[in-house]
Amino acid sequence: KELASLYNEATIFVNPTYADTFPTTNLEALACGTPVITYRTGGSPEAICPKSGIIVEQGDITALKDAIEEICANGKEYYSDACRKRAEEHFDKNKCFMQYINLYNSLLTTK
């Protein structure tokens, strides 16, 4: 609850990661309606769409600053609905669980 409260209070979640395969922190922020700014690293870009945040090249501090300023200028409200929608449509645990089960079953039946 405390973490969700922090995500809800934040204007932006900035994750300048250099080595993440698929950071769930990005998904948690989106689920709370908070736009994400992250580096184009590992699986980070997969969670973000243009309406839910900004992806910048790894190590580009100027682009990171510009992205922060852009989201601040637009306001969190501009992104919040798209963030929640992205989280619900692509990362809902129940939907993803069934996709994994279906994938595993299809792999088992192709042998």
Side-chain angles (χ1 to χ4, degrees):
K1 289 180 182 181
E2 183 179 353
L3 186 56
S5 176
L6 292 170
Y7 285 125
N8 281 312
E9 292 295 321
T11 301
I12 309 164
F13 179 67
V14 180
N15 186 8
T17 180
Y18 273 73
D20 256 316
T21 54
F22 193 66
T24 55
T25 53
N26 292 350
L27 305 181
E28 292 165 351
L30 292 175
C32 292
T34 302
V36 176
I37 299 172
T38 191
Y39 282 156
R40 187 177 310 283
T41 305
S44 285
E46 294 175 30
I48 313 303
C49 71
K51 294 180 180 180
S52 65
I54 300 172
I55 302 161
V56 299
E57 294 305 318
Q58 186 180 55
D60 190 340
I61 301 300
T62 301
L64 194 64
K65 176 191 75 74
D66 292 344
I68 292 169
E69 290 174 349
E70 180 179 335
I71 289 180
C72 285
N74 290 331
K76 179 179 178 175
E77 300 76 26
Y78 178 82
Y79 300 91
S80 288
D81 288 342
C83 291
R84 290 278 308 141
K85 184 176 179 179
R86 179 110 179 127
E88 291 171 359
E89 288 181 357
H90 296 281
F91 306 109
D92 176 273
K93 67 180 179 181
N94 296 317
K95 292 177 187 176
C96 292
F97 177 77
M98 285 312 301
Q99 289 173 350
Y100 287 131
I101 295 297
N102 292 338
L103 173 63
Y104 294 143
N105 284 335
S106 72
L107 292 173
L108 290 173
T109 59
T110 58
K111 286 189 171 193

